[in-house]
Amino acid sequence: MKLTFIGTGYVGLVSGVMMSYLGHQVTCIDVDENKINQLNNGLIPIYEPNLETYINICKNRNALSFQHNYENLSDQDAFFITVGTPTTPSGRANLSGVYKAIDSILQVANDQALIIIKSTVPPGSSLAIQEYIYSKGSDIKLANNPEFLREGSAVVDFLIPDRVVIGISNPSSANKIKDMYRVMINGQSASLLDLDANDDRVYKANHEIITDLTQYRKKNNLSPTPDFVVTDLTTSEMIKYASNSFLATKIAFINEMSDLCENTGANIKDLSFAVGLDRRIGSCFLKAGPGFGGSCFPKDIVALQNIYREKNTDSLILDAVIKANKSRPTKMVRKIKNLLGHLDGKQIAILGLTYKAGTDDFRNSPALEIIDILKKEGAKVRVFDPMGSKIIDYVDNLRKIPNIAGHEIHIESYQSERIVDLEEICDDAYEACSKANAAVFLTEWVQFEKLDFIEIKKSLKDPLIIDLRLFLDADKVKKAGLNYHTIGS
Ligand code: UDX
């Protein structure tokens, strides 16, 4: 089938490329001409492991193209909308990008084409958009197909979903969309993926090669094929919000359990493991940390809270999750302060700035909040993140824009923007630790587990390691002569 994806961000680029990989002819569009030029020149604007492999495979098949306009799209079978839906200060999701895309599609689409909303939109939005399409004199049908991709594992999450959810306004749309996902639903071997298992270009998922989706699923104790859920537009929208909100709730819960463990002398690692063994609970998203961030959880739970308000419905649990997560950075700083005695004048090494390992995304990262509070309490920070060069590039690009002065980078954060002062960004962990009173690990990058902690000790002024991600090997750190503190014990 011929599919167009509008918006080449973390969701649109991955979804478009992977749909191409499943055998469709895909055109990816973005209003940002620079992004399209980068993609046409083989540059990938986001960090997503192994995505480049797939882009090259699909480009070599002439099954994937990138363009900045809506030309030559009258033969498309479907248009996926994958543009951003940022939360406005009022808490409402901003759908202007979605409507702009709809207007552009209606100019070029044939009457049989489907429009499929993949962006996260509040319940009721798709119904309103379908009415908007009719009001423009078009009979084009709308569907809703939420994504459940995690940054850093989006390619695997796309290829090996637990379920594909489709919301439709017209029964005939279901089969057309099922056909798009045929490869996954019927289970396929490498032949359909047209790839030789020995082909070294083939995707390496966690150092494995995925050439047979069904085999990979069975090997990972998953059902041979994903479930395919067809429902109405509004329920499909709600499924996305409910999924993200529940995952955020799980994290907020285990973080609160971690605090109690610290006060009872229990051990959060053993607690999380044992609780997660209960099949009704599951071990995923039970890892305590500095709080959840990213471009989805913080945005989606506030947008959902806003919908509860608009519908005069209590959201007591969601309110508590939002409040608990917002308070987490302050709790982390209090822990650091208790270990240091005071913060004023202290030099602190911050290891990890992205909102989690495996991504170059800093949006709503707890690290930004924690750094902000530390500095307000008089501490000096030096930061290292494996993706730190992304910040440097980002600011360098900014500098090319007239009247962007200075060395500050503004990153979307919980309530406003957070400033990262470039002078604080170091080239490696050892430099960040130089003469520091403590090294605080905020993101669970594998690179940090491999650090030479004897060298880290030499760099530090005081031998103090604070692991707020519960991921370092405590014995290895202590053997290097360092004091090791973490959360939840
Ligand atoms: C999330 C959802 O998982 C995904 O289904 C949805 O499509 C988009 O939003 P993402 O934000 O990319 O994906 O990352 P995820 O891996 O879910 O982590 C979100 C936040 O929760 C990160 O800050 C992470 O550090 C934190 N987290 C996650 C924990 O603190 N503990 C955990 O056990 C898991």
Side-chain angles (χ1 to χ4, degrees), residues 265-332:
N267 175 329
I268 190 63
K269 260 189 172 176
D270 293 352
L271 180 145
S272 299
F273 175 69
V275 166
L277 288 175
D278 184 322
R279 289 195 310 276
R280 296 168 301 172
I281 298 171
S283 58
C284 294
F285 284 65
L286 273 183
K287 210 160 177 302
F292 56 79
S295 63
C296 293
F297 285 176
K299 161 177 81 79
D300 292 352
I301 57 180
V302 166
L304 188 60
Q305 183 187 50
N306 194 62
I307 294 151
Y308 274 104
R309 296 262 186 288
E310 285 179 356
K311 304 296 181 192
N312 297 316
T313 311
D314 286 341
S315 58
L316 302 179
I317 294 172
L318 197 60
D319 296 353
V321 169
I322 291 169
K323 186 179 174 193
N325 197 59
K326 278 218 179 100
S327 71
R328 193 109 185 115
T330 304
K331 279 187 179 175
M332 295 296 101

Coordinates of all heavy atoms in Angstrom, one line a residue, residues 265-332:
G265 N 14.4 0.5 56.5 CA 15.5 -0.4 56.4 C 15.3 -1.5 55.5 O 16.1 -2.4 55.4
A266 N 14.2 -1.5 54.7 CA 14.0 -2.6 53.7 C 14.8 -2.2 52.5 O 15.4 -1.2 52.4 CB 12.5 -2.6 53.4
N267 N 14.8 -3.2 51.5 CA 15.6 -3.0 50.3 C 14.7 -3.0 49.1 O 14.1 -4.0 48.7 CB 16.5 -4.3 50.2 CG 17.4 -4.3 49.0 OD1 16.9 -3.8 47.9 ND2 18.6 -4.8 49.1
I268 N 14.7 -1.8 48.4 CA 13.7 -1.7 47.3 C 14.1 -2.6 46.1 O 13.2 -3.0 45.4 CB 13.7 -0.2 46.8 CG1 12.6 0.1 45.8 CG2 15.1 0.2 46.2 CD1 11.2 -0.1 46.3
K269 N 15.3 -3.0 45.9 CA 15.7 -3.9 44.8 C 15.0 -5.2 45.0 O 14.3 -5.7 44.1 CB 17.2 -4.1 44.7 CG 17.9 -3.2 43.7 CD 19.3 -3.6 43.5 CE 19.9 -2.8 42.3 NZ 21.3 -3.1 42.1
D270 N 15.1 -5.8 46.2 CA 14.5 -7.1 46.4 C 13.0 -6.9 46.4 O 12.2 -7.8 45.9 CB 14.9 -7.6 47.8 CG 16.4 -8.0 47.8 OD1 17.0 -8.0 46.7 OD2 16.9 -8.3 48.9
L271 N 12.5 -5.8 46.9 CA 11.0 -5.6 47.0 C 10.5 -5.6 45.6 O 9.5 -6.2 45.2 CB 10.7 -4.3 47.7 CG 9.2 -3.9 47.8 CD1 9.0 -3.2 49.2 CD2 8.7 -3.0 46.7
S272 N 11.1 -4.7 44.7 CA 10.6 -4.6 43.3 C 10.7 -6.0 42.6 O 9.7 -6.3 41.9 CB 11.5 -3.6 42.5 OG 11.5 -2.4 43.1
F273 N 11.7 -6.7 42.8 CA 11.9 -8.0 42.2 C 10.8 -8.9 42.6 O 10.1 -9.5 41.8 CB 13.2 -8.6 42.5 CG 13.4 -10.0 42.0 CD1 13.6 -10.2 40.6 CD2 13.5 -11.1 42.8 CE1 13.7 -11.5 40.1 CE2 13.6 -12.4 42.3 CZ 13.8 -12.6 40.9
A274 N 10.6 -9.0 43.9 CA 9.6 -10.0 44.4 C 8.1 -9.6 44.0 O 7.3 -10.4 43.6 CB 9.7 -10.1 45.9
V275 N 7.9 -8.3 44.1 CA 6.5 -7.8 43.8 C 6.3 -8.1 42.3 O 5.2 -8.5 41.9 CB 6.4 -6.3 44.1 CG1 5.1 -5.7 43.4 CG2 6.3 -6.1 45.6
G276 N 7.3 -7.8 41.5 CA 7.2 -8.0 40.0 C 7.0 -9.4 39.6 O 6.5 -9.7 38.5
L277 N 7.3 -10.4 40.5 CA 7.1 -11.8 40.1 C 5.7 -12.2 40.1 O 5.3 -13.2 39.5 CB 7.9 -12.7 41.1 CG 9.4 -12.6 41.0 CD1 10.1 -13.5 42.1 CD2 9.9 -13.1 39.6
D278 N 4.9 -11.4 40.7 CA 3.4 -11.6 40.7 C 2.9 -11.3 39.2 O 3.0 -10.2 38.8 CB 2.7 -10.7 41.7 CG 1.2 -11.0 41.8 OD1 0.6 -11.3 40.7 OD2 0.7 -11.0 42.9
R279 N 2.4 -12.4 38.6 CA 2.0 -12.2 37.2 C 1.0 -11.1 37.0 O 0.9 -10.5 35.9 CB 1.5 -13.5 36.6 CG 2.5 -14.6 36.4 CD 2.0 -15.8 35.5 NE 0.6 -16.2 36.0 CZ 0.5 -17.1 37.0 NH1 1.5 -17.6 37.7 NH2 -0.7 -17.5 37.3
R280 N 0.2 -10.9 38.0 CA -0.8 -9.8 37.9 C -0.2 -8.4 37.9 O -0.8 -7.4 37.6 CB -1.8 -9.9 39.1 CG -2.6 -11.2 39.1 CD -3.3 -11.4 40.4 NE -2.3 -11.4 41.5 CZ -2.6 -11.4 42.8 NH1 -3.9 -11.4 43.1 NH2 -1.7 -11.4 43.7
I281 N 1.1 -8.3 38.4 CA 1.7 -7.0 38.5 C 2.8 -6.9 37.4 O 2.8 -5.9 36.7 CB 2.4 -6.9 39.9 CG1 1.3 -6.9 41.0 CG2 3.2 -5.6 40.0 CD1 1.8 -7.0 42.4
G282 N 3.7 -7.9 37.3 CA 4.7 -7.8 36.2 C 5.9 -6.9 36.7 O 5.7 -6.0 37.4
S283 N 7.0 -7.3 36.2 CA 8.3 -6.7 36.6 C 8.6 -5.4 35.9 O 9.5 -4.6 36.4 CB 9.5 -7.6 36.4 OG 9.5 -8.0 35.1
C284 N 7.9 -5.1 34.8 CA 8.3 -3.9 34.1 C 7.8 -2.6 34.8 O 6.8 -2.6 35.5 CB 7.7 -3.9 32.7 SG 8.4 -5.2 31.7
F285 N 8.6 -1.5 34.6 CA 8.2 -0.2 35.2 C 8.0 -0.3 36.7 O 7.2 0.4 37.3 CB 6.9 0.3 34.4 CG 7.3 0.8 33.1 CD1 7.7 -0.1 32.1 CD2 7.2 2.2 32.8 CE1 8.1 0.4 30.9 CE2 7.5 2.6 31.5 CZ 8.0 1.7 30.6
L286 N 8.9 -1.1 37.3 CA 8.9 -1.1 38.8 C 10.3 -0.8 39.3 O 10.8 -1.3 40.3 CB 8.5 -2.5 39.3 CG 7.0 -2.8 39.5 CD1 6.9 -4.2 40.1 CD2 6.3 -1.8 40.4
K287 N 11.0 0.1 38.5 CA 12.4 0.5 38.9 C 12.3 1.9 39.5 O 12.0 2.8 38.8 CB 13.3 0.4 37.6 CG 14.7 0.1 38.0 CD 15.4 -0.4 36.7 CE 16.9 -0.7 37.0 NZ 17.6 0.5 37.5
A288 N 12.7 2.0 40.7 CA 12.7 3.3 41.4 C 13.8 4.2 40.8 O 14.8 3.7 40.3 CB 12.9 3.1 42.9
G289 N 13.6 5.5 40.8 CA 14.5 6.4 40.2 C 14.2 7.8 40.6 O 13.5 8.0 41.6
P290 N 14.8 8.8 39.9 CA 14.6 10.2 40.2 C 13.2 10.8 39.8 O 13.0 12.0 39.9 CB 15.7 10.9 39.5 CG 16.0 10.0 38.4 CD 15.7 8.6 38.8
G291 N 12.4 9.9 39.2 CA 11.1 10.4 38.7 C 11.0 10.2 37.2 O 12.1 10.1 36.5
F292 N 9.8 10.1 36.6 CA 9.7 9.9 35.2 C 9.7 11.2 34.4 O 9.2 12.3 34.9 CB 8.5 9.1 34.8 CG 7.2 9.7 35.3 CD1 6.5 10.7 34.6 CD2 6.5 9.1 36.4 CE1 5.3 11.2 35.1 CE2 5.3 9.6 36.9 CZ 4.7 10.7 36.2
G293 N 10.3 11.2 33.2 CA 10.4 12.4 32.4 C 10.0 12.0 31.0 O 9.2 11.1 30.7
G294 N 10.6 12.8 30.0 CA 10.3 12.5 28.6 C 9.2 13.4 28.0 O 8.7 14.2 28.7
S295 N 9.0 13.1 26.8 CA 8.0 14.0 26.1 C 6.6 13.5 26.2 O 5.6 14.1 25.7 CB 8.4 14.1 24.6 OG 8.2 12.8 24.0
C296 N 6.4 12.3 26.8 CA 5.1 11.7 26.8 C 4.4 11.7 28.2 O 3.4 12.3 28.4 CB 5.1 10.3 26.3 SG 5.5 10.3 24.5
F297 N 5.0 10.9 29.1 CA 4.3 10.8 30.4 C 3.9 12.1 31.1 O 2.8 12.3 31.4 CB 5.2 10.0 31.4 CG 5.2 8.5 31.1 CD1 6.1 7.6 31.9 CD2 4.5 7.9 30.1 CE1 6.1 6.3 31.6 CE2 4.5 6.6 29.9 CZ 5.3 5.7 30.6
P298 N 4.9 13.0 31.2 CA 4.5 14.3 31.9 C 3.4 15.0 31.1 O 2.5 15.6 31.7 CB 5.8 15.1 31.9 CG 6.9 14.1 31.8 CD 6.4 13.0 31.0
K299 N 3.5 15.0 29.8 CA 2.5 15.7 29.0 C 1.2 15.0 29.0 O 0.1 15.6 29.3 CB 3.1 15.7 27.5 CG 2.0 16.0 26.5 CD 2.7 16.1 25.1 CE 2.9 14.8 24.5 NZ 1.7 14.1 23.9
D300 N 1.2 13.7 28.9 CA -0.1 13.0 28.7 C -0.9 13.0 30.0 O -2.1 13.1 30.0 CB 0.2 11.5 28.2 CG 0.7 11.5 26.8 OD1 0.7 12.6 26.2 OD2 1.1 10.4 26.3
I301 N -0.2 12.8 31.1 CA -1.0 12.7 32.4 C -1.6 14.1 32.8 O -2.7 14.1 33.3 CB -0.1 12.2 33.6 CG1 1.1 13.0 33.8 CG2 0.2 10.7 33.3 CD1 1.9 12.5 35.0
V302 N -0.9 15.2 32.4 CA -1.5 16.5 32.6 C -2.7 16.7 31.7 O -3.8 17.3 32.0 CB -0.5 17.6 32.5 CG1 -1.1 19.0 32.4 CG2 0.5 17.5 33.6
A303 N -2.5 16.3 30.4 CA -3.6 16.5 29.4 C -4.8 15.6 29.9 O -6.0 16.1 29.8 CB -3.2 16.0 28.1
L304 N -4.6 14.4 30.4 CA -5.7 13.6 30.9 C -6.4 14.2 32.1 O -7.6 14.2 32.2 CB -5.2 12.2 31.2 CG -6.2 11.1 31.5 CD1 -7.2 10.9 30.4 CD2 -5.6 9.8 31.9
Q305 N -5.5 14.7 33.0 CA -6.1 15.4 34.2 C -7.0 16.5 33.8 O -8.1 16.7 34.4 CB -4.9 16.0 35.1 CG -5.4 16.6 36.4 CD -4.2 17.3 37.1 OE1 -3.4 18.1 36.5 NE2 -4.0 17.0 38.4
N306 N -6.6 17.3 32.8 CA -7.4 18.4 32.2 C -8.8 17.9 31.7 O -9.8 18.5 31.9 CB -6.6 19.0 31.1 CG -7.2 20.4 30.8 OD1 -7.2 21.3 31.6 ND2 -7.7 20.5 29.6
I307 N -8.8 16.7 31.1 CA -10.0 16.1 30.6 C -10.9 15.7 31.7 O -12.1 16.0 31.7 CB -9.7 14.9 29.7 CG1 -8.9 15.4 28.4 CG2 -11.0 14.2 29.2 CD1 -8.0 14.4 27.9
Y308 N -10.3 15.1 32.8 CA -11.2 14.8 34.0 C -11.8 16.1 34.5 O -13.0 16.1 34.8 CB -10.3 14.3 35.1 CG -10.0 12.8 35.1 CD1 -8.8 12.3 34.6 CD2 -10.9 11.9 35.5 CE1 -8.5 10.9 34.6 CE2 -10.7 10.5 35.5 CZ -9.5 10.0 35.1 OH -9.2 8.7 35.1
R309 N -11.1 17.2 34.5 CA -11.6 18.4 35.0 C -12.8 18.9 34.1 O -13.9 19.2 34.6 CB -10.5 19.5 35.0 CG -9.4 19.3 35.9 CD -9.5 20.1 37.2 NE -8.2 19.9 38.0 CZ -7.9 18.8 38.6 NH1 -8.7 17.7 38.5 NH2 -6.8 18.7 39.3
E310 N -12.5 18.8 32.8 CA -13.5 19.3 31.9 C -14.8 18.5 32.0 O -15.9 19.0 31.7 CB -13.0 19.2 30.4 CG -11.9 20.3 30.1 CD -11.4 20.2 28.7 OE1 -11.8 19.2 28.0 OE2 -10.6 21.0 28.2
K311 N -14.6 17.2 32.3 CA -15.8 16.3 32.4 C -16.3 16.2 33.8 O -17.1 15.3 34.2 CB -15.4 14.9 31.9 CG -14.9 14.9 30.5 CD -15.9 15.3 29.4 CE -15.3 15.3 28.0 NZ -16.2 16.0 27.1
N312 N -15.8 17.2 34.7 CA -16.3 17.2 36.1 C -16.2 15.8 36.8 O -17.1 15.4 37.4 CB -17.7 17.7 36.2 CG -17.8 19.1 35.7 OD1 -16.9 20.0 36.1 ND2 -18.8 19.4 34.8
T313 N -15.1 15.1 36.5 CA -14.9 13.8 37.1 C -13.6 13.8 38.0 O -12.6 14.4 37.6 CB -14.6 12.8 35.9 OG1 -15.7 13.0 35.0 CG2 -14.6 11.3 36.4
D314 N -13.7 13.2 39.1 CA -12.5 13.1 40.0 C -11.4 12.4 39.4 O -11.6 11.3 38.8 CB -12.9 12.5 41.4 CG -13.8 13.4 42.2 OD1 -13.7 14.6 41.9 OD2 -14.5 12.9 43.1
S315 N -10.2 12.9 39.6 CA -9.0 12.1 39.1 C -8.0 12.0 40.3 O -6.8 12.4 40.2 CB -8.3 12.9 38.0 OG -8.0 14.2 38.4
L316 N -8.4 11.5 41.4 CA -7.7 11.5 42.7 C -6.3 10.8 42.5 O -5.3 11.2 43.0 CB -8.5 10.9 43.8 CG -9.8 11.5 44.1 CD1 -10.6 10.8 45.2 CD2 -9.6 13.0 44.4
I317 N -6.4 9.6 41.8 CA -5.1 8.9 41.6 C -4.1 9.6 40.7 O -3.0 9.8 41.0 CB -5.4 7.5 41.1 CG1 -6.2 6.7 42.1 CG2 -4.2 6.7 40.7 CD1 -6.8 5.4 41.6
L318 N -4.7 10.1 39.6 CA -3.8 10.8 38.6 C -3.2 12.1 39.3 O -2.1 12.4 39.1 CB -4.6 11.2 37.4 CG -3.9 11.5 36.1 CD1 -3.0 10.4 35.7 CD2 -4.9 11.9 35.0
D319 N -4.1 12.8 40.1 CA -3.6 14.0 40.7 C -2.4 13.6 41.6 O -1.4 14.3 41.7 CB -4.7 14.6 41.6 CG -5.9 15.1 40.8 OD1 -5.8 15.0 39.5 OD2 -6.9 15.4 41.4
A320 N -2.5 12.5 42.3 CA -1.5 12.1 43.3 C -0.2 11.7 42.5 O 0.9 12.1 42.9 CB -2.0 10.9 44.1
V321 N -0.4 11.1 41.4 CA 0.8 10.7 40.6 C 1.6 11.9 40.1 O 2.8 12.0 40.2 CB 0.4 9.8 39.4 CG1 1.5 9.6 38.4 CG2 -0.1 8.4 39.8
I322 N 0.8 12.9 39.6 CA 1.4 14.1 39.1 C 2.1 14.9 40.2 O 3.3 15.3 40.1 CB 0.3 15.0 38.5 CG1 -0.2 14.4 37.2 CG2 0.8 16.4 38.2 CD1 -1.5 15.0 36.6
K323 N 1.4 14.9 41.3 CA 2.0 15.6 42.5 C 3.3 14.9 43.0 O 4.3 15.5 43.2 CB 1.0 15.7 43.6 CG 1.4 16.5 44.8 CD 0.3 16.6 45.9 CE 0.8 17.3 47.2 NZ -0.1 17.0 48.3
A324 N 3.2 13.6 43.1 CA 4.4 12.8 43.6 C 5.5 12.9 42.6 O 6.7 13.2 43.1 CB 4.0 11.3 43.7
N325 N 5.3 12.9 41.3 CA 6.4 13.0 40.4 C 7.1 14.4 40.4 O 8.3 14.5 40.3 CB 6.0 12.6 39.0 CG 7.2 12.3 38.1 OD1 8.0 11.4 38.4 ND2 7.4 13.1 37.1
K326 N 6.2 15.4 40.5 CA 6.7 16.8 40.5 C 7.6 17.0 41.8 O 8.5 17.8 41.8 CB 5.6 17.8 40.5 CG 5.0 18.0 39.1 CD 4.6 19.5 38.9 CE 4.1 19.6 37.5 NZ 2.6 19.7 37.5
S327 N 7.2 16.3 42.9 CA 8.0 16.5 44.1 C 9.3 15.7 44.2 O 10.1 15.9 45.1 CB 7.1 16.2 45.3 OG 7.0 14.8 45.3
R328 N 9.4 14.8 43.2 CA 10.6 13.9 43.3 C 11.9 14.5 43.2 O 12.8 14.3 44.1 CB 10.4 12.8 42.3 CG 11.4 11.6 42.5 CD 10.7 10.4 42.9 NE 11.6 9.3 43.2 CZ 11.7 8.8 44.5 NH1 11.0 9.3 45.5 NH2 12.6 7.8 44.7
P329 N 12.1 15.5 42.3 CA 13.5 16.1 42.2 C 13.9 16.8 43.5 O 15.0 16.7 44.0 CB 13.3 17.1 41.1 CG 12.3 16.5 40.2 CD 11.3 15.8 41.1
T330 N 12.9 17.4 44.2 CA 13.2 18.1 45.5 C 13.7 17.0 46.5 O 14.6 17.2 47.3 CB 12.0 18.8 46.0 OG1 11.6 19.8 45.0 CG2 12.3 19.5 47.3
K331 N 13.0 15.9 46.5 CA 13.3 14.8 47.4 C 14.8 14.3 47.1 O 15.5 14.0 48.0 CB 12.4 13.6 47.3 CG 11.1 13.8 48.0 CD 10.2 12.5 47.9 CE 8.9 12.7 48.7 NZ 8.1 11.5 48.5
M332 N 15.1 14.2 45.8 CA 16.4 13.7 45.5 C 17.5 14.7 46.0 O 18.5 14.3 46.5 CB 16.5 13.6 44.0 CG 15.6 12.5 43.4 SD 16.0 10.8 44.0 CE 14.8 10.6 45.2

